[in-house]
Amino acid sequence: MPVKKVKQRANYIPYLTTLSPYSVQGLRTKLSTITDTITAPDAQWKAFSRTADIPDKDKHEFYEYRDEFGRELSRLKITNAKDSRAMIEINILEEAGDKELAHLVENSLPDGVHAKLGGKNTPSDFIVRVYLEQGNLDLMRKAIHRHGTTKPKGYVFYRPAYRPSIHAALRQPTDSSLNWAEGILEKDFEHYLHEKLCDIAYIELDGYWYFDVVHGGAGEQGEMINDKSEREDYAMQRPEYDTLVFNPKTGEMMTHLQYKRQNITSCYLHVFSQVLFGVEDYWTKSEQFNIHNFSQPVETIKEKLLARGSLEDKNPRLLRIGLQSLTLKQCFGPTAEYGHGRTATRKISDTYCLTSWKKPEETLVEPGETIESITLVFEFSDTKGGTTRSSVTLRRNQSTPKGKMQVVGLNEWMRENGLALLGFTLEERRKRFEENPKLQESVPSKKGREKNRPTLLERAMTSNKRILADADDK
């Protein structure tokens, strides 16, 4: 199996300077047990207590020892899985050394951990001490991911399709199945988007399964000066990130993809269908939000759909909820001028609230129009006497939040006001399909470049069978 590609810095010395002598020698000892490429500390440095400081006469010698450890990390050539694991651990420790992340780790410490944040301990030093006590990176990984999930993200929702595949048993992702998925998706990215790399990180958090996919992004070319003071050309792709979130209770998959990557959604859904259920085409688009409710009279929209309800108690600074914009679509049949059917889209918006300028009995939607999307705005008071806003744009199967203020309890509020549908659990969907086989849905047809997928499907099925056979052997 090829060695996993891992990010490696040119200089680790600045990071090591943020650590105490105890943490430096403990980290070096720990990494030396993972890979033989990193040497263990000399005997004279193993006697540091948790609080001991370096005597002045030994400081210069310790600085040389620490810098040599940093150069050893920079020069490390990743030739096997042990080297790769060591670099992954040092990278996670460095990333978790952020002040906000350190507080998240501190709040989730189990009983019996002696590491403390504050005093002389820097956030980076605190993180390393927790790592040395726990012996693993679980707390750091969860803190990094929890910190990332607080940022506003828009998700597209997919539910289990009513097909025989809905009865497939759910499987826990394994390293072998995710490595297989990386190989398949890397070829897909190369074929469809001319992008390099696919690296999947998996973590369970708050009852959901998160899959973070790192891939090559926009390409860049230019000229640079190298270490030898010579001019040379370079070509690179900056890393970008996609997120897939699976709900094991309902069987639903949510996807957050970077701009212009929606055309490979079917690649993701196909591969993760194989990873989690061992079948193809497990999901279909799911209608999650009742945006057509906004075709009702303005009075109903104000009193029911935009009522603050439970948000008033959970968000003390919330001033009001408004309807900011509507995107409407109308379909027309063939005419003498147009020999084929056509559609027209229009958007109406108001910075304050669309419903402010309408009579109670009027509607915002004209006859023949359907609602494509709506944008709700949430206005909060700030500490300076002003206001700040957050918004969320809803489509039938997609939500996209925007703004710095987080609306606490938004999903529950949308269910209370009839905006969000209350989904079925996976078992309830299976039972519905058994009782009513007429619900069966057809497999979507492939379009454009998707017609080339059968070759990839055959390769995927072959690889998946091999993985299952390996699992059976164990």
Side-chain angles (χ1 to χ4, degrees):
M1 183 180 294
V3 180
K4 194 177 184 68
K5 300 175 183 177
V6 180
K7 178 180 69 174
Q8 192 169 7
R9 293 193 180 280
N11 189 0
Y12 285 92
I13 295 176
Y15 168 66
L16 295 178
T17 59
T18 65
L19 305 181
S20 65
Y22 169 80
S23 296
V24 170
Q25 69 91 12
L27 181 59
R28 190 168 187 175
T29 302
K30 177 68 175 178
L31 294 181
S32 66
T33 63
I34 296 175
T35 174
D36 297 335
T37 311
I38 297 177
T39 58
D42 298 333
Q44 69 182 99
W45 302 112
K46 290 184 177 180
F48 288 132
S49 68
R50 296 178 182 275
T51 58
D53 293 325
I54 298 291
D56 291 340
K57 62 183 180 65
D58 295 331
K59 281 187 177 180
H60 180 71
E61 189 176 356
F62 171 75
Y63 294 155
E64 289 183 351
Y65 162 81
R66 181 194 61 197
D67 294 350
E68 176 57 33
F69 178 33
R71 288 189 290 269
E72 195 173 49
L73 290 172
S74 302
R75 292 194 302 261
L76 190 150
K77 294 184 178 179
I78 301 174
T79 58
N80 54 55
K82 293 182 178 179
D83 295 340
S84 177
R85 179 189 164 192
M87 294 312 302
I88 289 174
E89 300 214 353
I90 194 73
N91 289 338
I92 291 176
L93 290 172
E94 186 177 8
E95 184 178 356
D98 178 81
K99 186 176 180 180
E100 293 185 10
L101 291 172
H103 281 294
L104 288 176
V105 173
E106 183 185 32
N107 293 334
S108 59
L109 285 178
D111 295 335
V113 177
H114 299 90
K116 302 295 180 184
L117 181 61
K120 293 183 178 181
N121 294 339
T122 64
S124 297
D125 190 62
F126 165 73
I127 291 297
V128 172
R129 288 172 182 254
V130 172
Y131 168 65
L132 296 176
E133 284 196 59
Q134 294 288 101
N136 57 62
L137 295 167
D138 292 347
L139 291 177
M140 283 62 109
R141 290 180 186 273
K142 289 184 178 181
I144 291 171
H145 207 283
R146 194 181 297 278
H147 184 257
T149 56
T150 59
K151 300 175 182 178
K153 284 185 179 181
Y155 287 102
V156 180
F157 294 80
Y158 298 87
R159 62 166 174 80
Y162 288 116
R163 305 184 189 116
S165 60
I166 198 172
H167 296 293
L170 177 61
R171 303 167 178 170
Q172 191 82 14
T174 62
D175 290 341
S176 60
S177 63
L178 292 179
N179 287 339
W180 166 81
E182 289 175 352
I184 297 295
L185 288 173
E186 189 165 353
K187 291 181 173 63
D188 286 355
F189 295 165
E190 180 79 24
H191 176 74
Y192 292 107
L193 301 171
H194 307 291
E195 293 180 350
K196 304 290 185 181
L197 182 66
C198 175
D199 189 10
I200 302 175
Y202 160 69
I203 189 171
E204 293 185 34
L205 189 64
D206 299 333
Y208 292 89
W209 297 1
Y210 287 85
F211 301 91
D212 290 325
V213 184
V214 183
H215 55 84
E220 180 180 321
Q221 295 181 346
E223 188 178 39
M224 62 177 289
I225 307 298
N226 62 21
D227 295 338
K228 300 179 181 179
S229 298
E230 298 172 340
R231 296 169 62 184
E232 64 179 35
D233 295 329
Y234 73 89
M236 60 174 288
Q237 286 187 342
R238 298 189 181 278
E240 291 186 354
Y241 307 88
D242 294 337
T243 303
L244 290 86
V245 185
F246 176 71
N247 185 342
K249 292 183 179 179
T250 63
E252 294 175 331
M253 177 69 83
M254 298 180 288
T255 64
H256 171 80
L257 308 185
Q258 296 294 326
Y259 181 59
K260 293 185 178 179
R261 289 178 58 80
Q262 287 75 13
N263 58 337
I264 64 162
T265 300
S266 60
C267 301
Y268 275 129
L269 296 180
H270 163 74
V271 170
F272 280 94
S273 290
Q274 297 266 349
V275 170
L276 298 178
F277 295 96
V279 297
E280 303 174 24
D281 302 310
Y282 188 80
W283 293 286
T284 186
K285 279 194 175 181
S286 173
E287 184 170 336
Q288 292 284 326
F289 304 105
N290 288 326
I291 58 175
H292 61 270
N293 284 348
F294 285 86
S295 60
Q296 301 180 53
V298 168
E299 185 176 16
T300 303
I301 295 175
K302 284 183 177 180
E303 295 181 358
K304 293 185 178 180
L305 303 183
L306 300 181
R308 285 184 287 181
S310 61
L311 290 184
E312 195 166 5
D313 296 330
K314 297 178 181 179
N315 302 267
R317 293 186 179 180
L318 180 63
L319 298 177
R320 67 176 189 85
I321 305 170
L323 178 62
Q324 186 173 344
S325 67
L326 278 173
T327 302
L328 304 169
K329 181 179 179 180
Q330 189 169 9
C331 299
F332 300 91
T335 61
E337 183 177 359
Y338 298 94
H340 55 80
R342 59 190 180 90
T343 60
T345 303
R346 71 183 182 100
K347 182 177 181 179
I348 53 177
S349 60
D350 188 293
T351 306
Y352 184 70
C353 185
L354 288 177
T355 56
S356 301
W357 317 111
K358 291 281 188 177
K359 296 180 180 179
E361 67 277 5
E362 290 184 300
T363 61
L364 301 171
V365 182
E366 300 294 334
E369 291 181 325
T370 57
I371 301 176
E372 287 287 293
S373 68
I374 64 166
T375 299
L376 301 176
V377 61
F378 302 86
E379 191 174 274
F380 297 84
S381 62
D382 58 25
T383 55
K384 298 180 181 179
T387 58
T388 57
R389 291 182 175 185
S390 289
S391 64
V392 58
T393 300
L394 301 178
R395 296 178 180 273
R396 286 182 175 83
N397 70 319
Q398 182 178 353
S399 67
T400 307
K402 186 177 180 181
K404 295 182 179 180
M405 290 295 296
Q406 185 177 5
V407 185
V408 180
L410 179 60
N411 292 333
E412 293 79 2
W413 173 80
M414 286 195 292
R415 289 195 182 98
E416 292 172 6
N417 291 24
L419 297 180
L421 297 172
L422 184 61
F424 296 99
T425 65
L426 183 55
E427 292 302 322
E428 288 172 341
R429 291 185 189 279
R430 289 171 174 169
K431 187 175 180 180
R432 287 189 72 197
F433 186 52
E434 287 180 357
E435 295 174 350
N436 188 3
K438 292 182 179 180
L439 291 173
Q440 179 159 339
E441 302 169 85
S442 60
V443 178
S445 59
K446 305 295 187 294
K447 299 179 181 179
R449 294 181 114 184
E450 285 292 301
K451 294 179 180 179
N452 296 327
R453 290 290 291 171
T455 303
L456 299 176
L457 297 183
E458 293 171 2
R459 184 172 72 245
M461 289 183 66
T462 304
S463 301
N464 191 61
K465 289 177 181 177
R466 188 186 71 246
I467 291 173
L468 295 178
D470 293 344
D472 293 338
D473 293 339
K474 294 179 182 180

